[in-house]
Amino acid sequence: MNPMKGLFISFEGTEGSGKSTQVSLLAGRLYSLGYTARVLREPGGTPIGEEIRHTLKHSHANDAMTPETELLLMNASRAQLVREYIRPALARGEIVICDRFYDSTTAYQGYGRGLDLNVVRQIIDLAVGETRPDLTLLLWVPPEVAAERLRSRQATLPFVRDRIEQANREFFERVARGYEKIAAAEPQRIRKIDATGDIETVRQAIWREVEKVLPPRASSNPPAHG
Ligand code: Z5A
């Protein structure tokens, strides 16, 4: 449990694994049970972080970005998010749900880009200090399922592939293998969720993990339903 009062849950997984979908379903369920849940995303989540997100993903000049710059920008965004929103929310006893957190850096900049894992760890430590998730849900789908989901999203939404999404297949295979190693090293914190099923089946699997760590509600909160 976090040294502060609240509960910190992060979602991880490859692109198209269904994180954003499940983050909003979980937040909705928690609200309906009377919890105060704060949803955040990385990179981004703060005004400064959203500017960094734009630089990382969409700015015209970012083709020249080096892996080291990418590592530092991800963690600049994170350092701001931790201090501006996450710590204050946890101190108020809220539940923080973050769509990606530092395991993404280990997976993408460490295993994916091939940066030294010790350096990656040190930079993450500087960015987050003692603020670590109590529970991390790693949504797991085979690459072909993720690709199909992204294709159908593309058919319904205006969608432009960003700089990170344009990396080659080998990069994403390294990221996926990296996530396997990250999860194996911390089985207590990181719960691997089979995310190949339909949205409701995945939601239920996530809820079973979240229920185990939920703090009791204050008695003034509305009754649980659903
Ligand atoms: N990155 C990094 O390199 N280092 C870091 O430290 C951090 C991040 C923090 C952020 O991209 C990029 O930054 C990301 C990693 C890198 N790059 N890549 N690649 P982002 O925030 O724009 O996007 P994302 O995090 O990669 O997620 P996403 O593409 O939005 O996918 P998702 O959130 O996992 O999935 P979704 O949007 O919920 O679902 C995708 C579609 O599938 C959608 O149409 C859904 O309706 C559908 N869906 C969802 N669940 C299901 C199920 N169960 N069945 C069928 N269809 C489903």
Side-chain angles (χ1 to χ4, degrees):
M1 191 71 185
N2 208 284
M4 291 182 271
K5 290 186 294 176
L7 178 72
F8 184 8
I9 301 172
S10 62
F11 277 72
E12 294 284 351
T14 52
E15 206 204 3
S17 54
K19 296 178 299 304
S20 311
T21 303
Q22 295 297 334
V23 162
S24 37
L25 288 172
L26 176 60
R29 180 79 188 267
L30 291 169
Y31 289 134
S32 77
L33 292 174
Y35 290 98
T36 304
R38 174 138 206 160
V39 173
L40 299 166
R41 70 167 178 184
E42 280 205 336
T46 63
I48 290 171
E50 290 297 321
E51 288 187 12
I52 295 172
R53 180 182 175 92
H54 175 75
T55 302
L56 277 159
K57 286 172 63 97
H58 300 297
S59 90
H60 291 306
N62 75 8
D63 279 353
M65 190 177 294
T66 70
E68 291 79 4
T69 306
E70 190 174 86
L71 170 69
L72 291 166
L73 287 177
M74 292 290 178
N75 282 282
S77 168
R78 179 166 302 134
Q80 188 68 29
L81 186 67
V82 163
R83 287 157 186 81
E84 191 172 340
Y85 290 149
I86 297 180
R87 285 181 188 164
L90 293 175
R92 289 192 298 270
E94 295 175 10
I95 299 177
V96 172
I97 307 172
C98 203
D99 192 341
R100 296 190 179 279
F101 200 54
Y102 61 71
D103 297 310
S104 288
T105 301
T106 310
Y108 284 80
Q109 283 65 56
Y111 289 100
R113 301 284 190 222
L115 291 176
D116 183 318
L117 289 174
N118 283 322
V119 173
V120 169
R121 202 167 297 124
Q122 285 168 21
I123 301 289
I124 290 171
D125 287 349
L126 175 67
V128 305
E130 297 297 306
T131 305
R132 315 256 161 181
D134 299 296
L135 173 68
T136 296
L137 298 155
L138 172 58
L139 304 198
W140 195 256
V141 289
E144 56 281 8
V145 173
E148 181 46 41
R149 286 182 189 171
L150 292 174
R151 258 195 302 278
S152 23
R153 182 172 69 179
Q154 208 168 343
T156 55
L157 291 173
F159 184 82
V160 182
R161 292 197 81 73
D162 66 50
R163 185 184 56 86
I164 301 171
E165 289 161 349
Q166 284 165 6
N168 60 24
R169 192 166 54 85
E170 288 73 28
F171 171 78
F172 289 104
E173 286 169 0
R174 289 196 297 278
V175 170
R177 284 197 299 275
Y179 268 128
E180 293 275 16
K181 291 183 188 155
I182 293 164
E186 278 189 83
Q188 275 301 104
R189 171 175 70 87
I190 305 176
R191 299 297 166 157
K192 202 169 150 185
I193 304 286
D194 177 0
T196 48
D198 62 30
I199 289 174
E200 175 57 18
T201 305
V202 179
R203 187 193 71 77
Q204 288 176 17
I206 287 171
W207 186 249
R208 283 194 290 277
E209 295 300 335
V210 171
E211 267 186 322
K212 294 178 196 163
V213 297
L214 265 187
R217 275 169 299 133
S219 53
S220 58
N221 285 332
H225 50 268

